[in-house]
C-alpha cells in the first residue's frame, strides 16, 4: 500500500531528472574575424537556441545526440552544421559570409519600375493574412537591456560627474529578464516576468518589458516607446506604404531552399514617420524573412538620434513563421545648460518554446498587461549562470561584480551618512530657494523654504511672504507620509496666516491616502486658483491690474482617496470653515496709468470697497468618483496605471450643510464630466473635455460657493486644459445650471514637419475650441491656434473670444511647460 501511494511521486522524481546533455560553444565572426553580436544560434526546426553576446561568443546546452545547428545574422548567409553531443563540451567556431546577393537575372531600364514594387505589392496583399494567421500563442522571452554613456561633462552645477572612482562614462544600466508571453487575436497580450536581474540593485526589476518593445511589421503602424507624439511609424508593407516609401531590389539569395528578396526601403519625404534600411521577403510566400531598419533623427523622436530595429523570423511549423530574435538599438544625445550628454542603449530579445492553439481560460486576459513575480529578483547568480541563454561579455561580468559590490557599500550606514554630509551642505543659493536635508538610512527628508522665494504683492495684504517647513518619510511596503507647515504675514493688513498640510499614503496598491489640512489662510474666491500669486504681483505692480480676489478662511479639512476597484477612484471630504471678508489696504504700484485704477476686493462689485460678505461658518461635504472603463495597468509589483482608450467619466456631489456647528450654507451641486483623447495616427491626437452641472438647491450661498469657470486675463496662460484664456475671472460665475466644453487638436508634426525649419526645431501646431454657458443665458466661445515645443518648453497661442454672438476680445498667451 505504501509503495502504491508513493509510485506517483517516484515517477515525478524520475521524470524530473534531466537527460544527459553537453555544451556547445564558440565564436561567430565575419570574414574579417570581427565578432557578430546577437547572431542567432538555434537547432534546425525548433526555437531551441541562443544568441551571441557583444564579443560574438555563444554557449548552448543540448541533449546528447546529433543536432543540426543553424547560425544566422541579418545581412549574412545562414550556415548550418551538424554537431554530436556526447556530454563533453564541444567548441564550434563559425565564420559567416555576406549574403551572396545576385542581380544577374534583373535588367532594369531607365524608365521601368523597379522589380521590388511587384514584390512589395504581393507582400502587402498577404499582410493581413499573416497578421491574423496565428490565433493565439505562448512563448518564453529572454531580454537583455544595456545602456552606456559615451559622453558627459566633468562637472555639472559645481559637482564632479566623472572621477576616478565614480564616472558616468560606461555602462549605467544592465539588466536581464525572463518572461512568459501570451497572445490572443486580435490584440490581447499578457506578460508575466518570472525572473529579473539588475546590476547593482537586487531589489529592482528593471525595465525589460518586452510587451512595450515587441514590434510586428504586419501591422500598418508601428508604435515606439520613445515616441511621445504617439503618431506611430508606417510599416514598409502597410496598406498605404507605397505612398510613403521608395523601393529598390538589391538582389536575392537562398535560405533553406527559399528564395529571399533583399529590398531597400527609403522615405519619399523626410517629414514622414517612416523607416529606412532593408526588408527581406520570402519568394512565393510573400512573408517577412527579416528586417534591418533604421529610424533617423529626421523622424523627430525627442532626444533620440537614431534607432536600429533588427528582427529575424523563423519557421516553427511547416506554415508558421514567428519572431526568433529582435534587437532594438538606439543612440541618444541631450544638451543641458550647454553640457552635452550622449550614449546608446540596446534591448535584445530572444523568443523560444512557441505553443499554439492554447485553451486560455475565459478571463485569462485582463486589464493587467504585465505582472512581475514579487520573487523575480530573488534568483541567485547560480540560477542565472545555468539559465542565461546569452553568455556575459567581459565588460558585463565586470559591471555586475562592480555594481553588486558597490550596492553593499551603498547600503551601509557609513556610506549613506557620508553622502548625507556631502549633499546636505548649506549653499548660498538656498537663501533664494529652499534647503533640504535628506537622511538616507531611514528615507526621511526635512525641508525649509526661504521667505525670499515667496515674496509677493497684492492690494489686500500688500507686501507678503511666507516660510514653509516640513518633513516626509518613506515607510515599509511603499507606505509614506508627509507634513508641511506654512506661516505667512501681510505687511499692509498686518495679518498672520498659518496652514498645515499632511497626508498618509497607507495602501500603494489602491493609491489610498488620508489627508488632513487646516489653518487660517487667504483664499481665492475661485478655489481652482486661476491666477498665481507671482503673476498677480507683476500685473498689480507693473500694469495696475489687481486680478486676484481673496477672503480669509479659517478651516479644517479631512479627505480620503482610494481606488476601490480597477478604474474606479473615490474621493470624499468634509470641510468646516469660518469665512472672513478682506478689503484692499494699499494702492501701491510701480507704474501709474492715469486711465486705470485698482478695483475693489469684491469680485461681484469691483467698484464697491466695502466688505463683500458677512463673516459666517460653512460646513461642506463632497464626494466624487472617476470612472475609467478598461483601465490598463502593470504590476511591478506595485500597480502602475497606463490609462485607457476610453474617456474618463467624473461624477461629483457637493453639499452645503446648514445648522450644524453654526453653518449658514445650504446648497446642493451635482456635476458630470467626460475627459478623453482620440488618437488619429499621422494626423495627430485630439483631446476633449465636457462638463454639465446644476445646483439642485441654492437656498443659502455665498459667492465662493458659486461655480466659477477657469478664466484668465494675463499674457501668461492658465495652465489647466479646461481653462478659458480670455475670460474674466468672475463675470460668468453661476449658482444655477452650466455647461463647459473644450476640444483641442495636436497635429504632432503633421503640418510643421513639411516645413524644414519648423521640422528641425520640432515645433508642433495646435488648434482648439472652447465653449461655456451659464444658466443657458449666454454662449461664450474661444478659438485658439498656436505652436508648442518652442525651445522645448514654450507654447504660444493666438486666441479670439465671442460672447452672445459678438466679438469680445483677441489676445496672445504664453504657456511654459513640457506638455500640452
Amino acid at each position: 500500500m505504501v509503495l502504491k501511494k508513493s509510485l506517483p511521486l517516484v515517477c515525478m522524481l524520475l521524470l524530473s531528472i534531466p537527460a544527459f546533455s553537453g555544451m556547445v560553444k564558440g565564436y561567430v565572426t565575419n570574414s574579417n574575424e570581427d565578432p557578430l553580436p546577437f547572431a542567432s544560434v538555434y537547432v534546425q526546426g525548433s526555437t531551441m537556441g541562443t544568441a551571441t553576446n557583444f564579443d560574438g561568443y555563444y554557449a548552448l546546452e543540448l541533449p546528447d545526440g546529433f543536432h543540426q545547428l543553424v547560425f544566422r545574422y541579418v545581412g549574412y548567409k545562414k550556415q548550418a552544421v551538424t554537431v554530436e553531443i556526447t556530454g563533453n563540451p564541444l567548441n564550434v567556431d563559425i565564420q559567416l559570409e555576406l549574403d551572396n546577393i545576385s542581380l544577374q537575372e534583373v535588367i532594369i531600364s531607365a524608365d521601368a519600375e523597379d522589380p521590388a514594387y511587384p514584390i512589395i505589392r504581393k507582400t502587402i496583399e498577404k499582410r493581413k493574412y499573416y497578421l491574423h494567421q496565428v490565433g493565439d500563442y505562448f512563448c518564453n522571452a529572454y531580454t537583455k537591456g544595456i545602456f552606456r554613456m559615451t559622453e558627459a561633462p566633468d562637472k555639472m552645477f559645481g559637482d564632479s560627474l566623472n572621477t576616478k572612482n565614480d564616472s558616468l562614462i560606461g555602462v549605467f544600466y544592465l539588466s536581464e529578464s525572463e518572461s512568459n508571453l501570451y497572445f490572443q487575436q486580435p490584440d490581447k497580450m499578457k506578460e508575466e516576468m518570472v525572473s529579473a536581474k539588475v546590476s547593482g540593485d537586487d531589489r529592482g526589476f528593471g525595465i525589460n518589458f518586452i510587451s512595450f518593445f515587441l514590434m510586428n511589421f504586419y501591422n500598418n503602424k508601428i508604435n515606439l516607446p520613445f515616441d511621445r507624439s504617439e503618431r506611430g511609424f508606417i510599416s514598409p508593407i502597410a496598406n498605404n506604404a507605397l505612398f510613403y516609401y521608395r523601393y529598390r531590389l538589391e538582389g536575392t539569395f537562398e535560405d533553406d531552399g527559399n528564395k529571399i528578396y533583399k529590398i531597400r526601403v527609403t522615405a519619399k519625404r523626410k517629414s514622414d514617420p517612416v523607416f529606412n534600411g532593408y526588408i527581406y521577403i520570402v519568394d512565393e510566400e510573400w512573408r517577412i524573412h527579416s528586417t534591418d531598419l533604421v529610424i533617423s533623427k529626421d523622424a523627430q523622436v525627442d532626444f533620440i538620434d537614431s534607432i536600429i530595429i533588427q528582427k529575424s523570423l523563423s519557421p516553427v511549423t511547416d506554415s508558421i513563421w514567428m519572431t526568433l530574435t529582435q534587437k532594438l538599438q538606439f543612440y541618444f544625445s541631450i544638451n543641458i545648460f550647454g553640457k552635452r550628454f550622449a550614449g546608446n542603449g540596446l534591448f535584445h530579445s530572444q523568443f523560444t518554446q512557441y505553443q499554439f492553439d492554447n485553451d486560455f481560460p475565459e478571463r485569462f486576459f485582463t486589464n493587467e498587461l504585465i505582472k512581475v513575480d514579487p520573487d523575480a529578483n530573488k534568483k541567485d547568480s547560480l540560477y542565472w549562470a545555468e539559465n542565461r541563454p546569452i553568455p556575459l561579455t567581459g565588460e558585463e561580468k565586470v559591471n555586475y561584480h562592480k555594481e553588486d559590490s558597490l550596492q553593499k557599500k551603498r547600503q551601509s550606514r557609513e556610506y549613506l551618512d557620508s553622502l548625507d554630509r556631502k549633499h546636505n551642505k548649506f549653499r548660498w543659493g538656498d537663501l533664494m530657494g529652499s534647503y533640504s536635508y535628506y537622511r538616507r538610512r531611514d528615507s526621511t527628508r526635512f525641508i525649509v523654504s526661504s521667505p525670499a522665494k515667496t515674496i509677493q504683492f497684492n492690494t489686500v495684504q500688500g507686501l507678503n511672504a511666507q516660510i514653509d517647513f516640513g518633513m516626509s518619510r518613506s515607510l515599509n511596503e511603499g507606505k509614506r507620509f508627509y507634513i508641511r507647515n506654512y506661516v505667512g504675514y501681510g505687511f499692509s493688513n498686518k495679518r498672520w496666516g498659518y496652514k498645515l498640510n499632511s497626508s498618509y499614503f497607507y495602501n500603494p496598491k489602491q493609491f489610498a491616502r488620508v489627508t488632513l489640512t487646516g489653518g487660517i489662510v487667504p483664499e481665492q474666491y475661485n478655489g481652482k486658483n486661476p491666477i498665481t500669486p507671482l503673476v498677480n504681483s507683476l500685473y498689480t505692480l507693473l500694469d495696475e491690474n489687481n486680478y486676484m480676489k481673496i477672503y480669509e478662511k479659517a478651516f479644517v479639512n479631512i479627505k480620503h482617496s482610494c481606488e476601490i476597484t480597477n478604474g474606479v477612484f473615490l474621493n470624499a471630504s468634509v470641510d468646516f470653515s469660518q469665512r472672513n471678508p478682506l478689503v484692499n489696504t494699499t494702492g501701491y504700484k510701480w507704474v501709474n496709468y492715469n486711465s486705470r485704477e485698482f478695483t475693489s476686493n469684491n469680485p461681484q462689485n469691483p467698484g464697491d470697497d466695502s466688505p463683500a460678505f458677512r463673516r459666517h461658518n460653512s460646513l461642506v461635504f463632497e464626494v466624487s468618483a472617476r470612472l475609467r472603463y478598461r483601465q490598463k495597468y502593470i504590476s511591478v509589483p506595485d500597480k502602475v496605471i497606463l490609462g485607457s482608450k476610453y474617456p474618463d467619466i467624473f461624477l461629483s456631489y457637493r453639499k452645503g450643510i446648514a445648522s450644524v456647528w453654526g453653518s449658514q450654507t445650504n446648497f446642493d451641486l451635482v456635476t458630470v464630466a467626460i475627459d478623453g483623447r482620440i488618437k488619429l495616427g499621422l494626423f495627430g491626437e485630439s483631446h476633449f473635455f465636457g462638463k454639465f452641472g446644476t445646483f439642485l438647491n441654492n437656498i443659502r450661498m455665498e459667492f465662493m460657493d458659486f461655480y466659477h469657470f477657469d478664466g484668465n486675463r494675463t499674457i501668461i496662460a492658465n495652465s489647466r486644459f479646461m481653462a478659458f484664456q480670455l475670460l474674466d475671472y468672475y463675470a460668468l460665475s453661476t449658482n444655477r445650471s452650466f455647461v463647459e466644453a473644450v476640444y483641442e487638436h495636436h497635429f504632432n508634426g503633421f503640418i510643421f514637419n513639411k516645413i524644414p525649419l519648423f521640422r528641425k526645431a520640432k515645433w508642433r501646431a495646435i488648434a482648439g475650441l472652447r465653449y461655456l454657458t451659464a444658466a443657458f443665458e449666454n454662449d461664450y466661445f474661444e478659438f485658439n491656434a498656436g505652436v508648442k515645443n518652442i525651445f522645448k518648453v514654450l507654447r504660444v497661442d493666438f486666441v479670439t473670444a465671442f460672447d452672445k454672438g459678438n466679438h469680445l476680445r483677441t489676445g496672445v498667451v504664453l504657456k511654459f511647460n513640457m506638455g500640452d
Side-chain angles (χ1 to χ4, degrees), residues 393-460:
T393 64
E395 179 189 39
E396 292 165 351
K397 291 178 182 177
V398 169
N399 183 267
Y400 270 134
H401 178 74
K402 174 187 173 183
E403 293 298 324
D404 291 347
S405 300
L406 285 175
Q407 182 186 9
K408 297 178 181 178
K409 177 183 177 182
R410 290 167 181 158
Q411 291 175 342
S412 68
R413 179 166 180 170
E414 294 78 8
Y415 180 80
L416 295 176
D417 288 346
S418 68
L419 286 180
D420 291 344
R421 286 192 296 271
K422 176 182 178 182
H423 294 287
N424 291 334
K425 289 181 180 179
F426 181 81
R427 294 174 174 83
W428 288 108
D430 296 336
L431 290 174
M432 299 302 296
S434 59
Y435 171 71
S436 175
Y437 179 92
Y438 184 52
R439 196 167 61 206
R440 286 169 172 79
R441 66 173 181 265
D442 58 2
S443 301
T444 301
R445 184 181 298 276
F446 301 90
I447 187 168
V448 179
S449 70
S450 168
K453 178 183 177 181
T454 60
I455 292 177
Q456 301 155 6
F457 184 86
N458 61 64
T459 53
V460 175

Side-chain angles (χ1 to χ4, degrees), residues 208-273:
N208 300 352
F209 303 119
I210 186 58
S211 300
F212 292 159
F213 301 101
L214 186 59
M215 299 176 204
N216 185 350
F217 284 91
Y218 289 119
N219 284 314
N220 282 319
K221 188 179 71 170
I222 311 299
N223 292 315
L224 294 177
F226 313 106
D227 185 19
R228 291 195 305 160
S229 71
E230 297 184 352
R231 60 179 180 165
F233 290 80
I234 303 299
S235 168
I237 62 167
N239 288 340
N240 58 347
L242 293 170
F243 178 76
Y244 294 95
Y245 286 98
R246 292 188 178 93
Y247 302 92
R248 187 178 72 191
L249 179 61
E250 296 287 310
T252 64
F253 62 91
E254 295 293 323
D255 183 8
D256 283 342
N258 293 310
K259 185 178 181 180
I260 310 299
Y261 296 104
K262 180 180 181 180
I263 297 176
R264 182 177 182 84
V265 299
T266 55
K268 283 187 174 181
R269 295 166 294 273
K270 284 186 176 182
S271 60
D272 291 335

Side-chain angles (χ1 to χ4, degrees), residues 497-515:
Y498 170 76
K499 183 179 180 180
L500 166 71
N501 189 354
S502 61
S503 278
Y504 174 47
F505 300 80
Y506 65 90
N507 187 338
K509 292 185 177 181
Q510 289 186 285
F511 309 97
R513 67 171 175 171
V514 177
T515 301

Side-chain angles (χ1 to χ4, degrees), residues 453-731:
K453 178 183 177 181
T454 60
I455 292 177
Q456 301 155 6
F457 184 86
N458 61 64
T459 53
V460 175
Q461 297 174 287
L463 183 69
N464 63 92
Q466 71 177 25
I467 182 172
D468 67 86
F469 53 94
M471 68 163 295
S472 63
R473 175 175 289 182
S474 297
L475 307 173
N476 295 329
E477 300 177 346
K479 300 176 183 179
R480 57 191 173 93
F481 72 89
Y482 73 81
I483 300 173
R484 295 292 292 270
N485 299 271
Y486 305 82
V487 178
Y489 183 72
F491 288 90
S492 181
N493 68 347
K494 296 180 174 57
R495 294 187 71 86
W496 288 92
Y498 170 76
K499 183 179 180 180
L500 166 71
N501 189 354
S502 61
S503 278
Y504 174 47
F505 300 80
Y506 65 90
N507 187 338
K509 292 185 177 181
Q510 289 186 285
F511 309 97
R513 67 171 175 171
V514 177
T515 301
L516 175 65
T517 56
I520 304 175
V521 294
E523 188 91 352
Q524 293 191 46
Y525 280 85
N526 183 347
K528 303 186 187 85
N529 298 322
I531 185 169
T532 67
L534 175 60
V535 172
N536 181 73
S537 299
L538 295 174
Y539 269 81
T540 301
L541 294 170
L542 300 175
D543 197 52
E544 206 171 343
N545 273 309
N546 55 329
Y547 290 122
M548 189 167 70
K549 307 303 177 185
I550 58 178
Y551 67 98
E552 186 177 74
K553 180 179 180 180
F555 74 104
V556 174
N557 181 291
I558 185 168
K559 180 178 180 180
H560 181 267
S561 306
C562 74
E563 185 183 37
I564 58 177
T565 188
N566 182 51
V568 180
F569 282 83
L570 188 66
N571 305 288
S573 66
V574 177
D575 183 284
F576 177 75
S577 62
Q578 182 185 82
R579 300 157 169 178
N580 301 306
L582 297 173
V583 297
N584 289 342
T585 62
T586 179
Y588 180 79
K589 55 204 164 195
W590 289 346
V591 179
N592 184 28
Y593 292 90
N594 294 329
S595 61
R596 194 176 302 167
E597 292 183 359
F598 286 133
T599 58
S600 73
N601 192 45
N602 186 338
Q604 291 180 286
N605 190 353
D608 184 359
D609 287 317
S610 60
F613 60 90
R614 292 182 179 181
R615 176 186 296 182
H616 63 277
N617 293 342
S618 170
L619 177 63
V620 176
F621 168 75
E622 184 170 7
V623 60
S624 63
R626 189 200 73 185
L627 313 177
R628 180 177 288 169
Y629 180 62
R630 291 191 177 180
Q631 174 181 271
K632 306 300 182 183
Y633 66 97
I634 63 178
S635 301
V636 290
D638 288 339
K639 186 175 183 177
V640 177
I641 295 174
L642 301 179
S644 172
K645 65 180 181 180
Y646 299 96
D648 292 348
I649 303 296
F650 297 88
L651 306 172
S652 74
Y653 171 67
R654 193 164 185 255
K655 169 66 177 175
I657 304 173
S659 304
V660 178
W661 299 333
S663 173
Q664 297 172 320
T665 55
N666 185 354
F667 65 88
D668 296 86
L669 171 62
V670 177
T671 66
V672 57
I674 185 171
D675 185 0
R677 295 176 182 268
I678 304 172
K679 296 181 180 179
L680 300 174
L682 300 180
F683 298 99
E685 181 182 57
S686 293
H687 187 183
F688 63 89
F689 174 84
K691 188 174 186 178
F692 167 77
T694 185
F695 284 86
L696 306 176
N697 153 40
N698 59 6
I699 295 175
R700 185 73 182 270
M701 300 180 67
E702 294 294 342
F703 190 61
M704 63 283 291
D705 298 317
F706 281 41
Y707 184 82
H708 305 287
F709 299 98
D710 246 343
N712 180 55
R713 289 306 313 277
T714 74
I715 195 173
I716 305 300
N718 187 318
S719 61
R720 281 182 287 273
F721 173 70
M722 61 287 299
F724 296 84
Q725 302 300 343
L726 298 182
L727 177 67
D728 286 329
Y729 294 101
Y730 298 103

Side-chain angles (χ1 to χ4, degrees), residues 753-766:
N753 272 7
K754 297 171 176 59
I755 306 173
L757 183 61
F758 289 0
R759 182 177 70 246
K760 186 175 182 180
K762 298 183 180 180
W763 289 7
R764 300 287 185 262
I766 312 160

